[in-house]
Amino acid sequence: MKKYSLYSLIKNSFSYHENWQRAWRDPIPKKEYEIIIIGGGGHGLATAYYLAKKHNIRNIAVLEKGWIGGGNTGRNTTIIRSNYLWDASAGLYDHALKIWEGLSQELNYNVMFSQRGVMNLAHNLQDVRDLKRRTHANRLNGIDAVYLNTEEVKKFCPIINTSPDIRYPVLGGTLQRRAGTARHDAVAWGYARSADEMGVDIIQNCEVKGIKRNGGSVEGLETTKGFIKTKKIGVVAAGHSSVIANMAGLRLPLESKPLQALVSEPVKPIIDTVVMSNAVHAYVSQSDKGELVIGAGTDDYVSYTQKGSHQIVEGTLSAILELYPIFSRMRMLRQWGGIVDICPDASPILSKTSIKGLYFNCGWGTGGFKATPGSGDLFAHTIANDEPHKLNAAFNLNRFISGDLVDEHGAAAVAH
Amino acid sequence: MFIINCPYCGERDQQEFKAGGEAHIERPKQPTELSDDEWAEYLFMRKNIKGVQFERWNHAHGCRKWFNVARDTSNDEIKVVYKMGEKPPLE
Ligand SMILES: Cc1cc2nc3c(=O)[nH]c(=O)nc-3n(C[C@H](O)[C@H](O)[C@H](O)COP(=O)(O)OP(=O)(O)OC[C@H]3O[C@@H](n4cnc5c(N)ncnc54)[C@H](O)[C@@H]3O)c2cc1C
Ligand SMILES: [Zn+2]
């Protein structure tokens, strides 16, 4: 693989950028792999990358039914932060944030990680108490967090309407300066390119249709490109996790629901951070192209249609307008939905199952993009050693039996 | 976004309704006898079907009555609406 550098950029400009090497191969599936990852989103590709890099397993395939990154990875609003309340979550998400900080260099691929800070607003007394409590909890876990009063919020992001007579006045907020955003596609592409270089077969347009079992262990997969043998399967299929679990006769504690986002027409730089508001469910940042990136909420019914209801978008936009009157004449350019896999405790599952050789990485719901590098690293560890890493031990499937839930619903800053 | 035919009020926009999740999950008859595994199955595990699923809906901003719906979750098409206590349609 040719290294990307200033030199390669200049060199390729002489041939009008028509001779760049393909970033990854387009292989025909082999008869058998040591490990197969189902799902070519960021988490699946990162899992394959860390399996190859840290565990030295090279005979791996990633099977993707569409194109890589075409699922939630390419549909999310890219907010990255680690200011979660509980110790287990703080450990998990901050592990990921630390990897983000060096990821572009490690992959030799610019994932455009931008630590522009994430601010979470409080709109009522309970919000204020919860956010202060979370700030303290974060600091005890070594995660940077500050609490801001209304004037400090206004100073950090001057376009916010902090007038006391709006419907939900801004009473304060928290700020994590190390938090920010990244370019979603680049994350999938960067992991794919490096995994491919180490020998991982990335097979697109290959849908898994069935799981073949021999008693209590897995034997292989039925796919649209034929049967492929393997003894270890890592399922990283986000909204479709339950569908794949069903192929193995399992049920998961998940519900798949549409989550929407939208972007505006591009404008000059106006907001240089990410601002989220849990109470009114509105969050906004600005992409490098200049579009406002706005996240809406989930619908309350199960659906696999990748489109949500209109009133959800309407609700979010009315909250945005109340908080940012300056956006009142903006026009929205595109709107879309993704199917998110929601766990009862709003925490993910990175776990072995009752079937030998079958592992699940799911339940990230509305907020897993931020965890992509950490999730891949820890899931690779879990598959390679048939044991969880200490950072993902709490996120096993057994917690729904023991009752040891990691309840981040409401406890975390916002769903994302 | 779709239209739901409330068995009591007729066709209304989906936003008048509250989704109640998977239908026909029976409350354990003898809760004290249940093992932790059985509790987990009852409380947390869901079929989460891609295809026709039986689910409960409540006409929250209308008559406020509960009823059942058979809906294809892959395209949000409603197949049948039937009342609480009725058996799910076979197909
Ligand atoms: C609108 C929206 C906004 C969001 N905003 C944020 C945010 O700001 N911050 C944040 O941290 N998170 C956010 N999220 C959540 C985040 O996108 C996800 O948690 C994360 O991207 C999941 O990554 P993944 O690789 O597990 O899933 P995906 O990228 O969805 O990958 C799963 C892949 O599996 C494939 N697949 C499924 N079934 C099969 C099969 N049978 N055979 C083969 N392949 C199959 C799919 O095609 C898909 O490509 C948001 C999500 C949405 C929808
Ligand atoms: Zn009604």
Side-chain angles (χ1 to χ4, degrees), chain A residues 65 240 242-243 251-256 300-305 308-311 344 400-401 405, chain B residues 1-2 14-15 18-19 22 36-37 40-41 44-50 53 57 71 73-76:
Chain A
K65 71 171 174 179
H240 280 76
S242 300
V243 176
R251 287 207 297 169
L252 294 171
L254 296 176
E255 285 193 308
S256 297
D300 67 346
Y301 51 84
V302 169
S303 181
Y304 288 84
T305 57
S309 309
H310 183 67
Q311 75 265 15
F400 298 96
I401 297 167
L405 304 181
Chain B
M1 194 167 221
F2 42 90
Q14 171 264 320
Q15 68 170 309
K18 174 101 189 83
E22 191 177 320
D36 289 351
D37 277 286
E41 281 294 318
F44 299 125
M45 300 303 163
R46 294 293 176 263
K47 290 186 191 145
N48 197 23
I49 292 169
K50 181 175 186 177
Q53 123 161 333
W57 284 81
R71 185 175 55 96
T73 60
S74 65
N75 56 16
D76 289 342

Side-chain angles (χ1 to χ4, degrees), chain A residues 2-191:
Chain A
K2 299 247 167 47
K3 207 170 159 356
Y4 293 153
S5 63
L6 183 60
Y7 168 74
S8 69
L9 189 65
I10 294 168
K11 191 174 151 230
N12 276 283
S13 68
F14 287 112
S15 53
Y16 304 98
H17 297 292
E18 282 169 359
N19 295 318
W20 285 97
Q21 188 189 13
R22 272 190 86 121
W24 55 86
R25 295 163 297 129
D26 185 18
I28 299 165
K30 293 189 235 168
K31 295 247 160 344
E32 181 172 1
Y33 290 94
E34 192 173 337
I35 301 173
I36 295 182
I37 304 296
I38 306 177
H43 289 234
L45 293 163
T47 304
Y49 169 81
Y50 292 109
L51 276 169
K53 184 164 175 237
K54 289 175 94 167
H55 305 279
N56 214 22
I57 302 168
R58 300 291 156 100
N59 190 15
I60 306 172
V62 178
L63 307 185
E64 167 54 51
K65 71 171 174 179
W67 62 95
I68 59 167
N72 292 348
T73 296
R75 294 164 185 268
N76 84 95
T77 48
T78 77
I79 297 171
I80 295 168
R81 59 182 181 86
S82 65
N83 54 355
Y84 281 70
L85 178 69
W86 301 113
D87 294 352
S89 326
L92 179 68
Y93 290 102
D94 209 52
H95 177 62
L97 184 47
K98 285 184 188 126
I99 304 178
W100 278 115
E101 286 171 332
L103 193 61
S104 292
Q105 286 74 17
E106 181 180 339
L107 296 179
N108 176 232
Y109 204 99
N110 188 1
V111 299
M112 295 166 75
F113 179 52
S114 154
Q115 292 177 296
R116 58 185 68 185
V118 170
M119 188 160 71
N120 287 96
L121 302 179
H123 298 278
N124 53 52
L125 269 182
Q126 191 58 45
D127 276 359
V128 171
R129 291 189 194 111
D130 288 346
L131 291 190
K132 282 189 176 161
R133 176 187 181 209
R134 186 165 54 71
T135 308
H136 294 311
N138 290 159
R139 286 180 163 178
L140 288 171
N141 276 319
I143 292 170
D144 73 302
V146 284
Y147 187 82
L148 309 177
N149 63 28
T150 309
E151 290 78 64
E152 288 163 335
V153 166
K154 181 84 182 165
K155 208 171 149 213
F156 188 69
C157 184
I159 62 171
I160 296 183
N161 180 4
T162 51
S163 150
D165 53 10
I166 63 173
R167 179 74 174 84
Y168 298 101
V170 177
L171 301 184
T174 63
L175 176 62
Q176 183 179 23
R177 288 186 193 277
R178 281 166 63 229
T181 58
R183 169 83 198 278
H184 46 19
D185 298 320
V187 176
W189 299 337
Y191 274 121

Side-chain angles (χ1 to χ4, degrees), chain A residues 38-44 63-67 70-73 75-79 206-208 236-238 240 244 247 259-261 283 336 338 340 364-370 416:
Chain A
I38 306 177
H43 289 234
L63 307 185
E64 167 54 51
K65 71 171 174 179
W67 62 95
N72 292 348
T73 296
R75 294 164 185 268
N76 84 95
T77 48
T78 77
I79 297 171
C206 179
E207 181 172 356
V208 172
V236 202
H240 280 76
I244 291 172
M247 295 173 190
L259 177 67
Q260 295 175 84
Y283 56 93
W336 64 90
V340 294
W364 291 98
T366 60
F369 177 71
K370 65 176 72 66
H416 312 281

Side-chain angles (χ1 to χ4, degrees), chain A residues 325-365:
Chain A
I326 192 174
F327 295 151
S328 67
R329 304 238 183 128
M330 294 282 287
R331 280 169 300 191
M332 293 300 141
L333 204 61
R334 283 178 290 126
Q335 164 275 344
W336 64 90
I339 300 304
V340 294
D341 43 335
I342 298 180
C343 248
D345 58 355
S347 286
I349 296 166
L350 292 116
S351 181
K352 296 165 58 163
T353 62
S354 54
I355 297 166
K356 196 173 169 331
L358 185 63
Y359 306 83
F360 272 86
N361 180 347
C362 59
W364 291 98

Side-chain angles (χ1 to χ4, degrees), chain B residues 11-12 16 42 51 53 55-56 59 63 68 73 85-86 90:
Chain B
E11 292 192 342
R12 299 294 176 87
E16 287 187 16
Y42 168 68
Q53 123 161 333
E55 53 194 20
R56 301 176 307 169
H59 195 183
C63 63
N68 295 311
T73 60
E86 288 179 6
L90 283 176

